[in-house]
PDB file of all heavy atoms in Angstrom:
ATOM      1  N   PRO K   5      -6.771-135.097 294.624  1.00 49.00           N
ATOM      2  CA  PRO K   5      -7.844-135.392 295.442  1.00 49.00           C
ATOM      3  C   PRO K   5      -7.893-136.913 295.961  1.00 49.00           C
ATOM      4  O   PRO K   5      -8.297-137.187 297.006  1.00 49.00           O
ATOM      5  CB  PRO K   5      -9.127-135.048 294.689  1.00 49.00           C
ATOM      6  CG  PRO K   5      -8.673-135.056 293.294  1.00 49.00           C
ATOM      7  CD  PRO K   5      -7.251-134.689 293.302  1.00 49.00           C
ATOM      8  N   ASN K   6      -7.446-137.762 295.101  1.00 49.00           N
ATOM      9  CA  ASN K   6      -7.395-139.171 295.418  1.00 49.00           C
ATOM     10  C   ASN K   6      -6.035-139.707 295.282  1.00 49.00           C
ATOM     11  O   ASN K   6      -5.491-139.889 294.190  1.00 49.00           O
ATOM     12  CB  ASN K   6      -8.368-139.959 294.491  1.00 49.00           C
ATOM     13  CG  ASN K   6      -8.406-141.421 294.785  1.00 49.00           C
ATOM     14  OD1 ASN K   6      -7.779-141.890 295.684  1.00 49.00           O
ATOM     15  ND2 ASN K   6      -9.125-142.165 294.060  1.00 49.00           N
ATOM     16  N   ASP K   7      -5.329-139.908 296.420  1.00 52.00           N
ATOM     17  CA  ASP K   7      -3.908-140.327 296.285  1.00 52.00           C
ATOM     18  C   ASP K   7      -3.761-141.847 296.666  1.00 52.00           C
ATOM     19  O   ASP K   7      -2.670-142.346 296.903  1.00 52.00           O
ATOM     20  CB  ASP K   7      -2.951-139.554 297.131  1.00 52.00           C
ATOM     21  CG  ASP K   7      -3.281-139.606 298.663  1.00 52.00           C
ATOM     22  OD1 ASP K   7      -4.320-140.211 299.044  1.00 52.00           O
ATOM     23  OD2 ASP K   7      -2.537-139.071 299.420  1.00 52.00           O
ATOM     24  N   SER K   8      -4.856-142.682 296.607  1.00 49.00           N
ATOM     25  CA  SER K   8      -4.828-144.118 296.858  1.00 49.00           C
ATOM     26  C   SER K   8      -4.078-144.852 295.795  1.00 49.00           C
ATOM     27  O   SER K   8      -3.631-145.905 295.960  1.00 49.00           O
ATOM     28  CB  SER K   8      -6.184-144.679 297.002  1.00 49.00           C
ATOM     29  OG  SER K   8      -6.933-144.534 295.823  1.00 49.00           O
ATOM     30  N   TYR K   9      -3.812-144.156 294.618  1.00 45.00           N
ATOM     31  CA  TYR K   9      -3.091-144.843 293.490  1.00 45.00           C
ATOM     32  C   TYR K   9      -1.695-145.207 293.964  1.00 45.00           C
ATOM     33  O   TYR K   9      -1.117-146.112 293.360  1.00 45.00           O
ATOM     34  CB  TYR K   9      -3.067-143.943 292.323  1.00 45.00           C
ATOM     35  CG  TYR K   9      -2.330-142.603 292.566  1.00 45.00           C
ATOM     36  CD1 TYR K   9      -0.948-142.601 292.376  1.00 45.00           C
ATOM     37  CD2 TYR K   9      -3.000-141.528 293.055  1.00 45.00           C
ATOM     38  CE1 TYR K   9      -0.289-141.420 292.653  1.00 45.00           C
ATOM     39  CE2 TYR K   9      -2.349-140.332 293.307  1.00 45.00           C
ATOM     40  CZ  TYR K   9      -0.913-140.300 293.111  1.00 45.00           C
ATOM     41  OH  TYR K   9      -0.262-139.143 293.422  1.00 45.00           O
ATOM     42  N   ARG K  10      -1.044-144.514 294.898  1.00 49.00           N
ATOM     43  CA  ARG K  10       0.254-144.762 295.263  1.00 49.00           C
ATOM     44  C   ARG K  10       0.488-146.179 295.828  1.00 49.00           C
ATOM     45  O   ARG K  10       1.619-146.696 295.749  1.00 49.00           O
ATOM     46  CB  ARG K  10       0.749-143.690 296.322  1.00 49.00           C
ATOM     47  CG  ARG K  10       0.919-142.336 295.662  1.00 49.00           C
ATOM     48  CD  ARG K  10       1.471-141.388 296.627  1.00 49.00           C
ATOM     49  NE  ARG K  10       0.354-141.044 297.575  1.00 49.00           N
ATOM     50  CZ  ARG K  10       0.563-140.823 298.812  1.00 49.00           C
ATOM     51  NH1 ARG K  10       1.736-140.929 299.408  1.00 49.00           N
ATOM     52  NH2 ARG K  10      -0.420-140.530 299.695  1.00 49.00           N
ATOM     53  N   ASP K  11      -0.497-146.786 296.436  1.00 52.00           N
ATOM     54  CA  ASP K  11      -0.365-148.065 297.016  1.00 52.00           C
ATOM     55  C   ASP K  11      -0.528-149.192 295.994  1.00 52.00           C
ATOM     56  O   ASP K  11      -0.302-150.325 296.315  1.00 52.00           O
ATOM     57  CB  ASP K  11      -1.419-148.296 298.118  1.00 52.00           C
ATOM     58  CG  ASP K  11      -1.141-147.299 299.236  1.00 52.00           C
ATOM     59  OD1 ASP K  11       0.027-146.804 299.466  1.00 52.00           O
ATOM     60  OD2 ASP K  11      -2.115-146.809 299.875  1.00 52.00           O
ATOM     61  N   ILE K  12      -0.973-148.901 294.757  1.00 48.00           N
ATOM     62  CA  ILE K  12      -1.220-149.941 293.816  1.00 48.00           C
ATOM     63  C   ILE K  12      -0.032-150.501 293.216  1.00 48.00           C
ATOM     64  O   ILE K  12       0.226-151.691 293.192  1.00 48.00           O
ATOM     65  CB  ILE K  12      -2.229-149.339 292.708  1.00 48.00           C
ATOM     66  CG1 ILE K  12      -3.483-149.037 293.373  1.00 48.00           C
ATOM     67  CG2 ILE K  12      -2.440-150.397 291.642  1.00 48.00           C
ATOM     68  CD1 ILE K  12      -4.480-148.205 292.441  1.00 48.00           C
ATOM     69  N   LEU K  13       0.840-149.647 292.649  1.00 48.00           N
ATOM     70  CA  LEU K  13       2.078-150.096 291.966  1.00 48.00           C
ATOM     71  C   LEU K  13       3.271-149.220 292.327  1.00 48.00           C
ATOM     72  O   LEU K  13       3.040-148.032 292.475  1.00 48.00           O
ATOM     73  CB  LEU K  13       1.856-149.976 290.506  1.00 48.00           C
ATOM     74  CG  LEU K  13       0.795-150.858 289.774  1.00 48.00           C
ATOM     75  CD1 LEU K  13       0.544-150.472 288.392  1.00 48.00           C
ATOM     76  CD2 LEU K  13       1.229-152.301 289.853  1.00 48.00           C
ATOM     77  N   PRO K  14       4.370-149.799 292.490  1.00 51.00           N
ATOM     78  CA  PRO K  14       5.572-148.928 292.707  1.00 51.00           C
ATOM     79  C   PRO K  14       5.891-148.121 291.483  1.00 51.00           C
ATOM     80  O   PRO K  14       5.463-148.403 290.455  1.00 51.00           O
ATOM     81  CB  PRO K  14       6.692-149.966 293.042  1.00 51.00           C
ATOM     82  CG  PRO K  14       6.159-151.242 292.353  1.00 51.00           C
ATOM     83  CD  PRO K  14       4.672-151.179 292.329  1.00 51.00           C
ATOM     84  N   PRO K  15       6.679-146.965 291.685  1.00 52.00           N
ATOM     85  CA  PRO K  15       7.021-146.163 290.552  1.00 52.00           C
ATOM     86  C   PRO K  15       7.623-146.916 289.440  1.00 52.00           C
ATOM     87  O   PRO K  15       8.494-147.850 289.655  1.00 52.00           O
ATOM     88  CB  PRO K  15       8.007-145.183 291.132  1.00 52.00           C
ATOM     89  CG  PRO K  15       7.669-145.182 292.594  1.00 52.00           C
ATOM     90  CD  PRO K  15       7.247-146.594 292.937  1.00 52.00           C
ATOM     91  N   GLY K  16       7.286-146.583 288.211  1.00 51.00           N
ATOM     92  CA  GLY K  16       7.908-147.186 287.009  1.00 51.00           C
ATOM     93  C   GLY K  16       7.261-148.517 286.580  1.00 51.00           C
ATOM     94  O   GLY K  16       7.655-149.074 285.575  1.00 51.00           O
ATOM     95  N   HIS K  17       6.228-148.912 287.309  1.00 52.00           N
ATOM     96  CA  HIS K  17       5.465-150.185 286.867  1.00 52.00           C
ATOM     97  C   HIS K  17       4.087-149.727 286.502  1.00 52.00           C
ATOM     98  O   HIS K  17       3.388-148.929 287.138  1.00 52.00           O
ATOM     99  CB  HIS K  17       5.427-151.166 288.102  1.00 52.00           C
ATOM    100  CG  HIS K  17       6.764-151.667 288.429  1.00 52.00           C
ATOM    101  ND1 HIS K  17       7.341-152.801 287.875  1.00 52.00           N
ATOM    102  CD2 HIS K  17       7.691-151.124 289.253  1.00 52.00           C
ATOM    103  CE1 HIS K  17       8.478-152.980 288.379  1.00 52.00           C
ATOM    104  NE2 HIS K  17       8.770-152.019 289.240  1.00 52.00           N
ATOM    105  N   TYR K  18       3.621-150.338 285.390  1.00 53.00           N
ATOM    106  CA  TYR K  18       2.319-149.878 284.803  1.00 53.00           C
ATOM    107  C   TYR K  18       1.381-151.020 284.683  1.00 53.00           C
ATOM    108  O   TYR K  18       1.738-152.087 284.485  1.00 53.00           O
ATOM    109  CB  TYR K  18       2.510-149.253 283.418  1.00 53.00           C
ATOM    110  CG  TYR K  18       3.513-148.020 283.498  1.00 53.00           C
ATOM    111  CD1 TYR K  18       4.894-148.265 283.241  1.00 53.00           C
ATOM    112  CD2 TYR K  18       3.108-146.802 283.953  1.00 53.00           C
ATOM    113  CE1 TYR K  18       5.706-147.191 283.272  1.00 53.00           C
ATOM    114  CE2 TYR K  18       3.919-145.758 284.030  1.00 53.00           C
ATOM    115  CZ  TYR K  18       5.295-145.941 283.678  1.00 53.00           C
ATOM    116  OH  TYR K  18       6.142-144.910 283.770  1.00 53.00           O
ATOM    117  N   ALA K  19       0.103-150.730 284.821  1.00 57.00           N
ATOM    118  CA  ALA K  19      -0.926-151.710 284.620  1.00 57.00           C
ATOM    119  C   ALA K  19      -2.165-150.947 284.013  1.00 57.00           C
ATOM    120  O   ALA K  19      -2.325-149.745 284.204  1.00 57.00           O
ATOM    121  CB  ALA K  19      -1.348-152.342 285.889  1.00 57.00           C
ATOM    122  N   TYR K  20      -3.006-151.745 283.314  1.00 56.00           N
ATOM    123  CA  TYR K  20      -4.217-151.089 282.737  1.00 56.00           C
ATOM    124  C   TYR K  20      -5.327-151.385 283.703  1.00 56.00           C
ATOM    125  O   TYR K  20      -5.349-152.374 284.480  1.00 56.00           O
ATOM    126  CB  TYR K  20      -4.541-151.705 281.404  1.00 56.00           C
ATOM    127  CG  TYR K  20      -3.446-151.467 280.381  1.00 56.00           C
ATOM    128  CD1 TYR K  20      -2.638-152.503 279.922  1.00 56.00           C
ATOM    129  CD2 TYR K  20      -3.218-150.173 279.896  1.00 56.00           C
ATOM    130  CE1 TYR K  20      -1.688-152.228 278.931  1.00 56.00           C
ATOM    131  CE2 TYR K  20      -2.253-149.959 278.970  1.00 56.00           C
ATOM    132  CZ  TYR K  20      -1.447-150.948 278.468  1.00 56.00           C
ATOM    133  OH  TYR K  20      -0.547-150.736 277.601  1.00 56.00           O
ATOM    134  N   SER K  21      -6.374-150.511 283.548  1.00 63.00           N
ATOM    135  CA  SER K  21      -7.607-150.762 284.383  1.00 63.00           C
ATOM    136  C   SER K  21      -8.261-152.037 283.914  1.00 63.00           C
ATOM    137  O   SER K  21      -7.968-152.523 282.818  1.00 63.00           O
ATOM    138  CB  SER K  21      -8.593-149.576 284.232  1.00 63.00           C
ATOM    139  OG  SER K  21      -9.132-149.588 282.936  1.00 63.00           O
ATOM    140  N   SER K  22      -9.113-152.584 284.788  1.00 65.00           N
ATOM    141  CA  SER K  22      -9.661-153.848 284.405  1.00 65.00           C
ATOM    142  C   SER K  22     -10.590-153.849 283.163  1.00 65.00           C
ATOM    143  O   SER K  22     -10.780-154.772 282.491  1.00 65.00           O
ATOM    144  CB  SER K  22     -10.568-154.426 285.647  1.00 65.00           C
ATOM    145  OG  SER K  22     -11.509-153.426 285.970  1.00 65.00           O
ATOM    146  N   GLY K  23     -11.131-152.682 282.904  1.00 62.00           N
ATOM    147  CA  GLY K  23     -11.994-152.486 281.723  1.00 62.00           C
ATOM    148  C   GLY K  23     -11.234-152.246 280.416  1.00 62.00           C
ATOM    149  O   GLY K  23     -11.901-152.302 279.362  1.00 62.00           O
ATOM    150  N   PHE K  24     -10.001-151.956 280.511  1.00 64.00           N
ATOM    151  CA  PHE K  24      -9.238-151.548 279.303  1.00 64.00           C
ATOM    152  C   PHE K  24      -9.181-152.669 278.276  1.00 64.00           C
ATOM    153  O   PHE K  24      -9.482-152.472 277.125  1.00 64.00           O
ATOM    154  CB  PHE K  24      -7.813-151.084 279.694  1.00 64.00           C
ATOM    155  CG  PHE K  24      -7.083-150.464 278.596  1.00 64.00           C
ATOM    156  CD1 PHE K  24      -7.381-149.264 278.059  1.00 64.00           C
ATOM    157  CD2 PHE K  24      -6.000-151.204 278.010  1.00 64.00           C
ATOM    158  CE1 PHE K  24      -6.712-148.690 276.994  1.00 64.00           C
ATOM    159  CE2 PHE K  24      -5.244-150.652 277.039  1.00 64.00           C
ATOM    160  CZ  PHE K  24      -5.644-149.351 276.436  1.00 64.00           C
ATOM    161  N   PRO K  25      -8.791-153.950 278.635  1.00 65.00           N
ATOM    162  CA  PRO K  25      -8.669-155.025 277.625  1.00 65.00           C
ATOM    163  C   PRO K  25     -10.040-155.266 276.841  1.00 65.00           C
ATOM    164  O   PRO K  25      -9.996-155.374 275.654  1.00 65.00           O
ATOM    165  CB  PRO K  25      -8.241-156.257 278.404  1.00 65.00           C
ATOM    166  CG  PRO K  25      -7.479-155.670 279.592  1.00 65.00           C
ATOM    167  CD  PRO K  25      -8.321-154.383 279.889  1.00 65.00           C
ATOM    168  N   ALA K  26     -11.146-155.270 277.609  1.00 69.00           N
ATOM    169  CA  ALA K  26     -12.370-155.526 276.895  1.00 69.00           C
ATOM    170  C   ALA K  26     -12.706-154.433 275.953  1.00 69.00           C
ATOM    171  O   ALA K  26     -13.169-154.646 274.867  1.00 69.00           O
ATOM    172  CB  ALA K  26     -13.485-155.663 277.961  1.00 69.00           C
ATOM    173  N   MET K  27     -12.432-153.152 276.386  1.00 64.00           N
ATOM    174  CA  MET K  27     -12.666-152.028 275.604  1.00 64.00           C
ATOM    175  C   MET K  27     -11.837-152.120 274.268  1.00 64.00           C
ATOM    176  O   MET K  27     -12.336-151.796 273.178  1.00 64.00           O
ATOM    177  CB  MET K  27     -12.368-150.722 276.352  1.00 64.00           C
ATOM    178  CG  MET K  27     -12.603-149.468 275.548  1.00 64.00           C
ATOM    179  SD  MET K  27     -12.225-147.937 276.373  1.00 64.00           S
ATOM    180  CE  MET K  27     -10.480-148.152 276.661  1.00 64.00           C
ATOM    181  N   MET K  28     -10.601-152.500 274.408  1.00 64.00           N
ATOM    182  CA  MET K  28      -9.670-152.532 273.247  1.00 64.00           C
ATOM    183  C   MET K  28     -10.218-153.647 272.253  1.00 64.00           C
ATOM    184  O   MET K  28     -10.115-153.485 271.074  1.00 64.00           O
ATOM    185  CB  MET K  28      -8.283-152.847 273.682  1.00 64.00           C
ATOM    186  CG  MET K  28      -7.668-151.666 274.464  1.00 64.00           C
ATOM    187  SD  MET K  28      -7.585-150.149 273.598  1.00 64.00           S
ATOM    188  CE  MET K  28      -6.274-150.468 272.499  1.00 64.00           C
ATOM    189  N   LYS K  29     -10.662-154.743 272.767  1.00 65.00           N
ATOM    190  CA  LYS K  29     -11.202-155.812 271.877  1.00 65.00           C
ATOM    191  C   LYS K  29     -12.451-155.390 271.103  1.00 65.00           C
ATOM    192  O   LYS K  29     -12.616-155.685 269.960  1.00 65.00           O
ATOM    193  CB  LYS K  29     -11.559-157.070 272.736  1.00 65.00           C
ATOM    194  CG  LYS K  29     -10.369-157.780 273.245  1.00 65.00           C
ATOM    195  CD  LYS K  29     -10.742-158.956 274.025  1.00 65.00           C
ATOM    196  CE  LYS K  29      -9.517-159.657 274.721  1.00 65.00           C
ATOM    197  NZ  LYS K  29      -9.966-160.675 275.620  1.00 65.00           N
ATOM    198  N   ASN K  30     -13.225-154.529 271.746  1.00 69.00           N
ATOM    199  CA  ASN K  30     -14.507-154.024 271.051  1.00 69.00           C
ATOM    200  C   ASN K  30     -14.203-152.979 270.068  1.00 69.00           C
ATOM    201  O   ASN K  30     -14.784-152.898 269.021  1.00 69.00           O
ATOM    202  CB  ASN K  30     -15.535-153.519 272.123  1.00 69.00           C
ATOM    203  CG  ASN K  30     -16.043-154.577 272.961  1.00 69.00           C
ATOM    204  OD1 ASN K  30     -16.087-155.717 272.533  1.00 69.00           O
ATOM    205  ND2 ASN K  30     -16.451-154.265 274.157  1.00 69.00           N
ATOM    206  N   LEU K  31     -13.200-152.088 270.409  1.00 68.00           N
ATOM    207  CA  LEU K  31     -13.003-150.945 269.508  1.00 68.00           C
ATOM    208  C   LEU K  31     -11.940-151.219 268.438  1.00 68.00           C
ATOM    209  O   LEU K  31     -11.984-150.634 267.356  1.00 68.00           O
ATOM    210  CB  LEU K  31     -12.506-149.766 270.324  1.00 68.00           C
ATOM    211  CG  LEU K  31     -13.475-149.259 271.379  1.00 68.00           C
ATOM    212  CD1 LEU K  31     -12.866-148.075 272.146  1.00 68.00           C
ATOM    213  CD2 LEU K  31     -14.740-148.685 270.652  1.00 68.00           C
ATOM    214  N   SER K  32     -10.992-152.086 268.658  1.00 63.00           N
ATOM    215  CA  SER K  32      -9.855-152.406 267.814  1.00 63.00           C
ATOM    216  C   SER K  32      -9.190-151.167 267.221  1.00 63.00           C
ATOM    217  O   SER K  32      -9.087-150.945 265.991  1.00 63.00           O
ATOM    218  CB  SER K  32     -10.320-153.282 266.652  1.00 63.00           C
ATOM    219  OG  SER K  32     -10.815-154.482 267.124  1.00 63.00           O
ATOM    220  N   PRO K  33      -8.865-150.181 268.083  1.00 62.00           N
ATOM    221  CA  PRO K  33      -8.311-148.921 267.560  1.00 62.00           C
ATOM    222  C   PRO K  33      -6.837-149.111 267.048  1.00 62.00           C
ATOM    223  O   PRO K  33      -6.125-150.051 267.483  1.00 62.00           O
ATOM    224  CB  PRO K  33      -8.289-148.017 268.822  1.00 62.00           C
ATOM    225  CG  PRO K  33      -8.107-148.958 269.960  1.00 62.00           C
ATOM    226  CD  PRO K  33      -8.850-150.218 269.545  1.00 62.00           C
TER     227      PRO K  33
END
Side-chain angles (χ1 to χ4, degrees):
N6 179 2
D7 63 354
S8 62
Y9 63 88
R10 288 184 287 144
D11 299 328
I12 298 171
L13 296 169
H17 296 269
Y18 303 97
Y20 297 111
S21 70
S22 58
F24 189 72
M27 178 179 65
M28 293 302 283
K29 287 178 186 174
N30 292 335
L31 297 176
S32 299

